[in-house]
Each structure stands twice: as structure tokens, then as C-alpha cells.
Amino acid sequence: MQGSKKIIEALNTLLTAEMTSVDQYFIHSEMYGNWGYSKLYERLHHERDEEMSHAKMLIERILFLDGVPDIAPRGKLRIGKDVPSMLANDLETEYEVAAALKKAIVLAEKEHDFVTRSILTKLLDDTEVDHAHWLEQQLGLIKAMGINNYLQSQAS
């Protein structure tokens, strides 16, 4: 099915954001594992897998619309130096992805592509409710418990 070039371009922009998130989560999860924070490692590994599933959904939609998925470009990686900066950087990335998803949802509505809109709405829900919310919780726990207690709770 021939899709709107604007929609395909927006989907490829989102694909870049998702693949950037995959890379960032991958690096952060490995850093957590190296430092012995097994709970953070497991959670970020899970988040990376979810970002890959988001990318897969975008690729499938681009292909359905007769577009060509472009996974080569990446956004700027924000690699933290410690746990709080890593969590904050990941949260900033999620906020940016959410903003891009909202913009693409508006475009999908304008182009009357309601299937794409539905897919993007699901991704937005996952981004806001699962990813961003969890990161906000972790930063709140650090503030409430102190960094030493938080890190102790994340170790194996």
C-alpha cells in the first residue's frame, strides 16, 4: 500500500529515536551490570528489548506503506557517568521520544492514517506510562532514600 511520504518520513524519524534509545539503554544496562547493580541491569535490558519491539513495529509499518526503513542514523547518545545521571539522561530521551510521537500522531490524523495513529498511540502509552514513569520513580527514590540506600537496593 502506497503511504504518505510525510508519514514514512515521520516514522523513519521515530525509528532513529528508538534505535538511539536501544543503543543508550544497551550501554547503560551493561554499565549497571559491570558495577553489580543487577536490578538496574535487568530493568534496562528489558527496556532495551521494548525499544527494539517499538523499532520493529515502526519498520513493519514503513514497509507496509511501501517505504524504506532507515536504521543507520542515530541521535546523540547521552551516556551518564553515574546512576543518577544515567537515569536522568534516559528520562530526557524518553521525554524527547514522547514529544516526537505526539507530533507524528498529529500528522497521522491530518493525513487520515488512523492505523499509523493507533500504532503511535500505543508506543506513546508505553513511553509515558512505562518507561518515563519508571525513570521518574527511580529519581524520586534516590531523592527520598539517598543515593547510598538506593544503590544498595539495586545490588544483587
Side-chain angles (χ1 to χ4, degrees):
M1 176 180 160
Q2 183 65 40
S4 159
K5 290 185 190 300
K6 291 178 186 177
I7 294 289
I8 292 168
E9 183 178 304
L11 293 173
N12 267 315
T13 298
L14 290 168
L15 183 56
T16 295
E18 294 293 348
M19 295 306 294
T20 301
S21 294
V22 166
D23 292 345
Q24 187 166 310
Y25 281 145
F26 178 59
I27 293 168
H28 281 169
S29 70
E30 291 302 315
M31 290 170 72
Y32 292 141
N34 183 57
W35 295 338
Y37 302 127
S38 60
K39 291 180 183 177
L40 287 171
Y41 168 81
E42 290 171 18
R43 179 60 190 228
L44 266 283
H45 188 76
H46 163 77
E47 294 294 335
R48 184 184 72 88
D49 289 346
E50 283 194 347
E51 298 297 347
M52 284 297 291
S53 75
H54 291 180
K56 183 179 185 304
M57 291 170 71
L58 293 169
I59 289 169
E60 289 171 348
R61 188 64 183 164
I62 291 167
L63 291 170
F64 179 81
L65 297 173
D66 289 334
V68 177
D70 186 2
I71 64 166
R74 295 293 195 275
K76 181 182 179 207
L77 292 178
R78 297 180 181 102
I79 306 305
K81 296 178 181 162
D82 55 30
V83 171
S85 67
M86 292 160 71
L87 293 168
N89 290 348
D90 290 343
L91 182 57
E92 188 62 32
T93 298
E94 291 297 338
Y95 286 158
E96 288 177 2
V97 170
L101 283 163
K102 290 174 186 176
K103 185 177 176 182
I105 288 168
V106 170
L107 175 64
E109 288 177 352
K110 182 179 175 189
E111 296 286 317
H112 298 113
D113 184 345
F114 300 108
V115 173
T116 297
R117 182 193 184 282
S118 176
I119 291 167
L120 298 178
T121 301
K122 180 188 179 317
L123 296 181
L124 179 62
D125 182 62
D126 197 34
T127 298
E128 288 183 337
V129 175
D130 183 27
H131 302 187
H133 181 67
W134 181 82
L135 290 162
E136 290 166 343
Q137 284 179 322
Q138 301 317 295
L139 292 168
L141 287 170
I142 290 170
K143 188 175 182 178
M145 304 170 74
I147 187 65
N148 291 334
N149 289 332
Y150 178 80
L151 293 177
Q152 184 177 13
S153 75
Q154 299 302 313
S156 28

